[in-house]
Amino acid sequence: MSNPSKAWDGELVRKWLARRFEASKLDQAAADRRGYEAQDEYDKAAAEEWVCRALTASDCTNEQAMFAKRLKDLIGQDDYRATGIHDDVRFERHVRGQLRKLARMTKTNEGFEKTLRYQ
């Protein structure tokens, strides 16, 4: 499941989630200022915020297997509730995309060291 040359670092994953959470809030604010043409970008940033909030709320980041199971459970959900979004279908599509991205990162145990705002 993981890269044998690199051990799972729960602290690094929590740091990555916190940085992505803050970046998504900034992205939402920027998209909101741009108005109607940036509604998709707003929903995408809101989806990333939702995913980061859902994953930091539970204590699953300590072990790679637990984190992967939590991601699988979230991907299997039927709907994702959020307020202030513009299009529910688009939001749910972005949430699932973010979850799949994190599942790939978790499986390979790569990408969590990239903590810059723009990825």
Side-chain angles (χ1 to χ4, degrees), residues 4-76:
S5 64
K6 189 164 71 168
W8 180 257
D9 186 359
E11 183 61 36
L12 182 63
V13 173
R14 286 187 291 278
K15 180 180 175 182
W16 186 89
L17 287 169
R19 294 258 175 106
R20 293 311 310 156
F21 179 78
E22 292 302 320
S24 67
K25 287 172 46 177
L26 293 172
D27 292 344
Q28 285 179 67
D32 197 34
R33 283 191 300 274
R34 290 194 1 243
Y36 180 79
E37 73 274 356
Q39 286 182 350
D40 183 51
E41 292 171 27
Y42 181 90
D43 289 347
K44 187 174 185 177
E48 186 172 17
E49 178 187 3
W50 189 94
V51 168
C52 291
R53 186 185 312 265
L55 291 171
T56 55
S58 65
D59 189 30
C60 62
T61 57
N62 292 328
E63 294 181 27
Q64 187 174 10
M66 286 176 42
F67 194 65
K69 183 182 180 326
R70 177 70 176 140
L71 286 168
K72 187 175 181 180
D73 292 344
L74 287 173
I75 290 171

